[in-house]
Amino acid sequence: MTGKTAIIAGNGLLPISVAAALKADGNPPFVLPIRGEADPELYKYDHQEISVMDFGMLLRAMRKASVSQVVLAGGILNRPHLSDLKLNWPTLRAVPYVLGALGRGDDALLRAFMRLLERFGFKMVGAHEVVPDLLSPSPARVLTHKQPDEKARENIVLAMDAALRLGELDVGQGAIAAGGRVVALEGAEGTDLMIDRVYELRKAGRIPKRGGVLVKMAKPQQDERADLPAIGPMTVEGIFRAGLDGIAVEAGRTFILGLAETIKAANEKEIFIETISQTGKDGQGEHR
Protein backbone atom coordinates (compact mmCIF):
# COMPACT_ATOMS: atom_id res chain seq x y z
CA MET A 1 0.00 0.00 0.00
CA THR A 2 1.09 3.55 -0.67
CA GLY A 3 0.17 6.77 1.14
CA LYS A 4 -0.99 7.26 4.71
CA THR A 5 -3.31 4.58 6.07
CA ALA A 6 -5.97 5.31 8.68
CA ILE A 7 -7.45 2.67 10.96
CA ILE A 8 -10.98 3.32 12.16
CA ALA A 9 -10.65 1.20 15.28
CA GLY A 10 -13.38 -0.54 17.25
CA ASN A 11 -12.90 -3.03 20.07
CA GLY A 12 -10.90 -6.25 20.13
CA LEU A 13 -7.38 -7.29 19.15
CA LEU A 14 -7.66 -6.86 15.39
CA PRO A 15 -7.03 -3.07 15.29
CA ILE A 16 -3.90 -3.57 17.43
CA SER A 17 -2.61 -6.25 15.03
CA VAL A 18 -3.30 -4.09 11.97
CA ALA A 19 -1.56 -1.06 13.51
CA ALA A 20 1.49 -3.12 14.47
CA ALA A 21 1.72 -4.64 10.98
CA LEU A 22 1.59 -1.22 9.31
CA LYS A 23 4.26 0.15 11.62
CA ALA A 24 6.51 -2.87 10.99
CA ASP A 25 6.06 -2.32 7.26
CA GLY A 26 7.37 1.25 7.56
CA ASN A 27 3.92 2.84 7.18
CA PRO A 28 2.91 3.93 10.71
CA PRO A 29 -0.87 4.32 10.79
CA PHE A 30 -3.07 7.23 11.72
CA VAL A 31 -5.53 5.71 14.20
CA LEU A 32 -9.09 6.87 14.72
CA PRO A 33 -10.17 5.09 17.93
CA ILE A 34 -13.94 5.00 18.35
CA ARG A 35 -14.81 6.56 21.68
CA GLY A 36 -15.80 3.96 24.27
CA GLU A 37 -14.77 1.03 22.05
CA ALA A 38 -11.06 1.03 21.15
CA ASP A 39 -8.27 -0.46 23.27
CA PRO A 40 -6.03 2.13 25.05
CA GLU A 41 -3.02 0.44 23.38
CA LEU A 42 -3.97 2.23 20.15
CA TYR A 43 -3.53 5.68 21.66
CA LYS A 44 0.26 5.38 21.46
CA TYR A 45 0.02 5.95 17.70
CA ASP A 46 -0.72 9.25 16.00
CA HIS A 47 -4.46 9.39 16.59
CA GLN A 48 -7.71 11.32 16.86
CA GLU A 49 -10.52 9.88 18.94
CA ILE A 50 -13.85 10.02 17.12
CA SER A 51 -17.56 9.49 17.57
CA VAL A 52 -19.21 7.32 14.92
CA MET A 53 -21.99 9.90 14.59
CA ASP A 54 -19.68 12.85 13.86
CA PHE A 55 -18.63 12.31 10.26
CA GLY A 56 -17.35 15.88 10.01
CA MET A 57 -14.72 15.26 12.70
CA LEU A 58 -13.69 12.04 10.97
CA LEU A 59 -13.18 13.77 7.61
CA ARG A 60 -11.27 16.69 9.09
CA ALA A 61 -8.93 14.40 11.01
CA MET A 62 -8.16 12.20 7.99
CA ARG A 63 -7.60 15.10 5.65
CA LYS A 64 -5.31 16.85 8.15
CA ALA A 65 -3.27 13.62 8.44
CA SER A 66 -3.10 13.27 4.61
CA VAL A 67 -4.83 9.89 4.69
CA SER A 68 -5.39 8.17 1.35
CA GLN A 69 -6.71 4.77 2.42
CA VAL A 70 -8.79 3.46 5.29
CA VAL A 71 -9.02 0.16 7.17
CA LEU A 72 -12.05 -0.70 9.30
CA ALA A 73 -11.02 -3.01 12.14
CA GLY A 74 -12.68 -4.19 15.33
CA GLY A 75 -16.24 -4.41 16.52
CA ILE A 76 -18.73 -1.91 17.92
CA LEU A 77 -20.69 -3.00 20.97
CA ASN A 78 -22.68 0.23 21.32
CA ARG A 79 -24.76 0.69 18.18
CA PRO A 80 -25.11 4.38 17.21
CA HIS A 81 -28.43 6.21 17.53
CA LEU A 82 -29.74 9.13 15.49
CA SER A 83 -30.04 11.12 18.72
CA ASP A 84 -26.21 11.15 18.81
CA LEU A 85 -25.98 12.78 15.37
CA LYS A 86 -23.74 15.87 15.20
CA LEU A 87 -25.24 18.70 13.19
CA ASN A 88 -22.49 19.57 10.72
CA TRP A 89 -22.63 19.49 6.94
CA PRO A 90 -20.52 16.35 6.30
CA THR A 91 -22.50 14.41 8.92
CA LEU A 92 -25.82 15.55 7.46
CA ARG A 93 -24.63 14.46 4.01
CA ALA A 94 -23.95 11.04 5.50
CA VAL A 95 -27.50 10.58 6.77
CA PRO A 96 -29.01 9.25 3.50
CA TYR A 97 -26.29 6.59 3.36
CA VAL A 98 -26.66 5.27 6.89
CA LEU A 99 -30.30 6.04 7.79
CA GLY A 100 -31.78 2.99 6.10
CA ALA A 101 -28.91 0.77 7.15
CA LEU A 102 -29.34 1.63 10.85
CA GLY A 103 -32.49 -0.47 10.93
CA ARG A 104 -30.81 -3.45 9.27
CA GLY A 105 -27.81 -5.64 10.11
CA ASP A 106 -24.18 -4.77 10.76
CA ASP A 107 -23.09 -5.73 7.25
CA ALA A 108 -25.58 -3.31 5.66
CA LEU A 109 -24.38 -0.51 7.94
CA LEU A 110 -20.71 -1.17 7.21
CA ARG A 111 -21.30 -1.30 3.44
CA ALA A 112 -23.13 2.04 3.60
CA PHE A 113 -20.30 3.59 5.62
CA MET A 114 -17.67 2.31 3.17
CA ARG A 115 -19.57 3.66 0.17
CA LEU A 116 -19.74 7.03 1.90
CA LEU A 117 -15.99 7.14 2.54
CA GLU A 118 -15.33 6.19 -1.08
CA ARG A 119 -17.53 9.06 -2.23
CA PHE A 120 -15.20 11.40 -0.32
CA GLY A 121 -12.20 9.98 -2.18
CA PHE A 122 -10.76 7.48 0.31
CA LYS A 123 -9.74 3.97 -0.75
CA MET A 124 -11.14 1.21 1.48
CA VAL A 125 -8.64 -1.55 2.32
CA GLY A 126 -9.51 -4.84 4.04
CA ALA A 127 -7.73 -5.73 7.28
CA HIS A 128 -6.93 -9.09 5.68
CA GLU A 129 -4.83 -7.24 3.08
CA VAL A 130 -2.72 -5.72 5.87
CA VAL A 131 -2.41 -8.79 8.11
CA PRO A 132 -2.98 -11.81 5.82
CA ASP A 133 -1.04 -14.04 8.23
CA LEU A 134 -3.93 -13.77 10.70
CA LEU A 135 -6.40 -15.40 8.32
CA SER A 136 -7.37 -18.99 9.07
CA PRO A 137 -5.33 -21.42 6.98
CA SER A 138 -6.68 -22.70 3.67
CA PRO A 139 -7.28 -25.41 2.45
CA ALA A 140 -9.46 -26.72 5.26
CA ARG A 141 -7.74 -28.77 7.95
CA VAL A 142 -7.45 -29.41 11.68
CA LEU A 143 -4.95 -27.09 13.40
CA THR A 144 -4.72 -28.78 16.79
CA HIS A 145 -3.60 -32.10 18.27
CA LYS A 146 -7.18 -33.05 19.06
CA GLN A 147 -9.29 -34.18 16.10
CA PRO A 148 -13.08 -33.84 15.88
CA ASP A 149 -14.86 -37.19 16.29
CA GLU A 150 -17.94 -38.32 14.39
CA LYS A 151 -20.38 -36.60 16.78
CA ALA A 152 -18.40 -33.36 16.56
CA ARG A 153 -18.47 -33.49 12.76
CA GLU A 154 -22.25 -33.92 12.83
CA ASN A 155 -22.50 -30.87 15.06
CA ILE A 156 -20.21 -28.93 12.72
CA VAL A 157 -22.55 -29.57 9.78
CA LEU A 158 -25.60 -28.44 11.80
CA ALA A 159 -23.95 -25.32 13.21
CA MET A 160 -22.42 -24.34 9.87
CA ASP A 161 -25.78 -24.49 8.11
CA ALA A 162 -27.34 -22.42 10.92
CA ALA A 163 -24.51 -19.85 10.78
CA LEU A 164 -24.88 -19.43 7.02
CA ARG A 165 -28.65 -19.01 7.27
CA LEU A 166 -28.15 -16.49 10.06
CA GLY A 167 -25.63 -14.65 7.87
CA GLU A 168 -28.10 -14.47 4.99
CA LEU A 169 -30.36 -12.49 7.35
CA ASP A 170 -27.39 -10.21 8.27
CA VAL A 171 -27.84 -11.08 11.95
CA GLY A 172 -24.63 -12.84 12.99
CA GLN A 173 -21.79 -15.13 11.96
CA GLY A 174 -21.80 -17.92 14.52
CA ALA A 175 -23.82 -20.84 15.85
CA ILE A 176 -23.32 -23.61 18.40
CA ALA A 177 -24.62 -27.16 18.01
CA ALA A 178 -24.56 -29.78 20.77
CA GLY A 179 -26.16 -33.20 21.09
CA GLY A 180 -27.21 -33.17 17.45
CA ARG A 181 -29.14 -29.88 17.52
CA VAL A 182 -28.46 -26.16 17.28
CA VAL A 183 -28.55 -24.68 20.78
CA ALA A 184 -27.36 -21.07 20.28
CA LEU A 185 -27.24 -18.45 17.54
CA GLU A 186 -25.07 -15.33 17.56
CA GLY A 187 -26.98 -12.09 17.84
CA ALA A 188 -26.04 -8.51 18.59
CA GLU A 189 -24.36 -9.58 21.84
CA GLY A 190 -21.47 -11.24 19.96
CA THR A 191 -19.69 -14.59 20.15
CA ASP A 192 -18.40 -14.44 23.75
CA LEU A 193 -21.83 -13.82 25.24
CA MET A 194 -23.36 -16.51 23.02
CA ILE A 195 -20.85 -18.97 24.50
CA ASP A 196 -21.77 -17.73 27.98
CA ARG A 197 -25.42 -18.55 27.22
CA VAL A 198 -24.44 -22.14 26.45
CA TYR A 199 -22.61 -22.31 29.80
CA GLU A 200 -25.80 -21.16 31.55
CA LEU A 201 -27.92 -23.67 29.61
CA ARG A 202 -25.55 -26.42 30.79
CA LYS A 203 -25.81 -25.28 34.41
CA ALA A 204 -29.60 -25.34 34.12
CA GLY A 205 -29.56 -28.86 32.66
CA ARG A 206 -31.19 -27.74 29.40
CA ILE A 207 -28.50 -29.33 27.19
CA PRO A 208 -26.10 -32.31 27.65
CA LYS A 209 -23.34 -31.85 30.24
CA ARG A 210 -20.52 -31.88 27.68
CA GLY A 211 -19.88 -31.72 23.96
CA GLY A 212 -20.76 -29.38 21.13
CA VAL A 213 -19.06 -27.15 18.60
CA LEU A 214 -18.87 -23.43 17.83
CA VAL A 215 -18.89 -22.63 14.10
CA LYS A 216 -18.11 -19.19 12.66
CA MET A 217 -18.67 -18.41 8.97
CA ALA A 218 -18.49 -15.23 6.91
CA LYS A 219 -21.91 -14.08 5.79
CA PRO A 220 -22.80 -15.16 2.24
CA GLN A 221 -23.01 -11.48 1.23
CA GLN A 222 -19.94 -10.51 3.29
CA ASP A 223 -17.85 -7.56 2.11
CA GLU A 224 -14.42 -8.88 3.08
CA ARG A 225 -13.10 -5.36 3.67
CA ALA A 226 -14.93 -5.24 7.00
CA ASP A 227 -16.15 -7.47 9.83
CA LEU A 228 -14.74 -10.85 8.86
CA PRO A 229 -15.35 -13.40 11.64
CA ALA A 230 -12.66 -13.67 14.31
CA ILE A 231 -11.62 -15.93 17.17
CA GLY A 232 -8.74 -15.75 19.64
CA PRO A 233 -7.43 -16.96 23.00
CA MET A 234 -10.51 -15.63 24.84
CA THR A 235 -12.72 -17.71 22.54
CA VAL A 236 -10.83 -20.84 23.56
CA GLU A 237 -11.25 -19.94 27.25
CA GLY A 238 -14.99 -19.53 26.75
CA ILE A 239 -15.29 -22.81 24.83
CA PHE A 240 -13.48 -24.68 27.62
CA ARG A 241 -15.65 -23.11 30.34
CA ALA A 242 -18.82 -23.96 28.42
CA GLY A 243 -17.78 -27.60 28.04
CA LEU A 244 -17.65 -27.53 24.22
CA ASP A 245 -15.40 -29.85 22.22
CA GLY A 246 -14.05 -27.41 19.68
CA ILE A 247 -14.26 -24.62 17.14
CA ALA A 248 -14.69 -24.71 13.36
CA VAL A 249 -14.13 -21.55 11.31
CA GLU A 250 -14.31 -20.78 7.62
CA ALA A 251 -10.94 -21.37 5.94
CA GLY A 252 -9.31 -18.23 4.57
CA ARG A 253 -12.15 -15.95 5.71
CA THR A 254 -11.74 -15.84 9.50
CA PHE A 255 -9.16 -14.04 11.62
CA ILE A 256 -7.41 -16.14 14.26
CA LEU A 257 -5.98 -13.46 16.53
CA GLY A 258 -2.86 -14.47 18.40
CA LEU A 259 -2.64 -17.61 16.27
CA ALA A 260 0.20 -19.34 18.13
CA GLU A 261 -1.29 -18.46 21.53
CA THR A 262 -4.75 -19.61 20.45
CA ILE A 263 -3.52 -22.99 19.16
CA LYS A 264 -1.36 -23.48 22.27
CA ALA A 265 -4.32 -22.79 24.57
CA ALA A 266 -6.54 -25.17 22.58
CA ASN A 267 -3.95 -27.94 22.75
CA GLU A 268 -3.53 -27.47 26.50
CA LYS A 269 -7.29 -27.68 27.05
CA GLU A 270 -7.78 -30.54 24.54
CA ILE A 271 -10.05 -28.48 22.32
CA PHE A 272 -9.93 -28.85 18.54
CA ILE A 273 -9.79 -26.00 16.06
CA GLU A 274 -10.61 -26.83 12.46
CA THR A 275 -10.87 -24.69 9.34
CA ILE A 276 -13.75 -25.67 7.06
CA SER A 277 -15.22 -24.65 3.70
CA GLN A 278 -18.85 -24.19 2.68
CA THR A 279 -18.66 -27.14 0.27
CA GLY A 280 -16.54 -29.64 2.18
CA LYS A 281 -13.96 -30.25 4.90
CA ASP A 282 -10.64 -32.02 4.79
CA GLY A 283 -11.47 -33.01 1.24
CA GLN A 284 -14.23 -35.30 2.53
CA GLY A 285 -17.88 -34.94 1.60
CA GLU A 286 -20.05 -31.85 1.44
CA HIS A 287 -21.34 -29.66 4.24
CA ARG A 288 -24.42 -28.54 2.31
Side-chain angles (χ1 to χ4, degrees):
M1 294 187 295
T2 58
K4 193 74 170 179
T5 301
I7 304 171
I8 299 178
N11 58 61
L13 296 176
L14 183 58
I16 298 171
S17 298
V18 173
L22 286 168
K23 181 180 179 182
D25 198 39
N27 182 18
F30 177 63
V31 180
L32 295 143
I34 297 172
R35 188 174 300 127
E37 300 282 355
D39 193 289
E41 170 76 8
L42 293 164
Y43 288 74
K44 70 181 183 182
Y45 296 96
D46 186 16
H47 70 275
Q48 170 65 61
E49 187 180 73
I50 60 166
S51 161
V52 292
M53 295 303 281
D54 189 348
F55 196 71
M57 176 188 289
L58 174 66
L59 286 181
R60 289 193 300 272
M62 290 200 298
R63 285 171 174 164
K64 184 177 179 180
S66 301
V67 167
S68 61
Q69 51 210 5
V70 181
V71 178
L72 300 182
I76 297 178
L77 291 177
N78 303 303
R79 198 171 178 85
H81 298 282
L82 283 178
S83 59
D84 301 323
L85 196 70
K86 301 299 181 183
L87 296 180
N88 53 60
W89 179 238
T91 304
L92 293 175
R93 283 186 63 186
V95 170
Y97 287 84
V98 300
L99 185 59
L102 277 174
R104 303 201 301 274
D106 289 345
D107 201 59
L109 183 59
L110 287 168
R111 286 199 304 270
F113 187 64
M114 288 189 291
R115 285 197 302 270
L116 180 60
L117 287 172
E118 288 172 333
R119 284 291 299 269
F120 279 92
F122 298 101
K123 179 184 178 182
M124 299 305 302
V125 177
H128 64 288
E129 298 176 67
V130 182
V131 283
D133 291 347
L134 292 183
L135 284 176
S136 50
S138 183
R141 60 186 183 273
V142 179
L143 306 179
T144 50
H145 299 325
K146 182 175 180 178
Q147 303 281 317
D149 60 18
E150 185 177 344
K151 287 184 179 179
R153 292 199 180 281
E154 292 172 358
N155 284 324
I156 288 172
V157 172
L158 289 169
M160 191 198 75
D161 187 63
L164 289 172
R165 293 177 186 273
L166 194 67
E168 288 171 357
L169 298 173
D170 198 6
V171 174
Q173 300 169 318
I176 294 173
R181 66 189 177 107
V182 176
V183 297
L185 299 172
E186 182 185 38
E189 82 279 22
T191 303
D192 292 342
L193 290 180
M194 174 180 62
I195 296 170
D196 287 346
R197 278 194 281 120
V198 172
Y199 170 75
E200 295 297 331
L201 287 170
R202 285 231 150 96
K203 281 177 57 179
R206 301 292 300 276
I207 59 176
K209 290 184 179 180
R210 284 206 61 82
V213 176
L214 163 69
V215 172
K216 296 203 72 172
M217 305 289 291
K219 298 172 184 176
Q221 74 278 14
Q222 186 89 42
D223 188 322
E224 294 188 358
R225 295 174 298 174
D227 198 32
L228 281 174
I231 64 168
M234 292 300 295
T235 316
V236 173
E237 291 293 333
I239 291 293
F240 178 73
R241 179 171 178 265
L244 297 167
D245 290 326
I247 306 167
V249 298
E250 186 169 359
R253 301 184 76 202
T254 306
F255 288 112
I256 302 182
L257 306 173
L259 177 60
E261 183 184 354
T262 299
I263 300 302
K264 181 175 183 288
N267 284 333
E268 289 174 349
K269 298 182 183 304
E270 297 186 351
I271 289 167
F272 72 81
I273 298 177
E274 181 179 17
T275 65
I276 59 176
S277 68
Q278 293 189 25
T279 55
K281 59 180 182 296
D282 297 334
Q284 302 171 8
E286 297 251 333
H287 277 306
R288 298 189 76 186

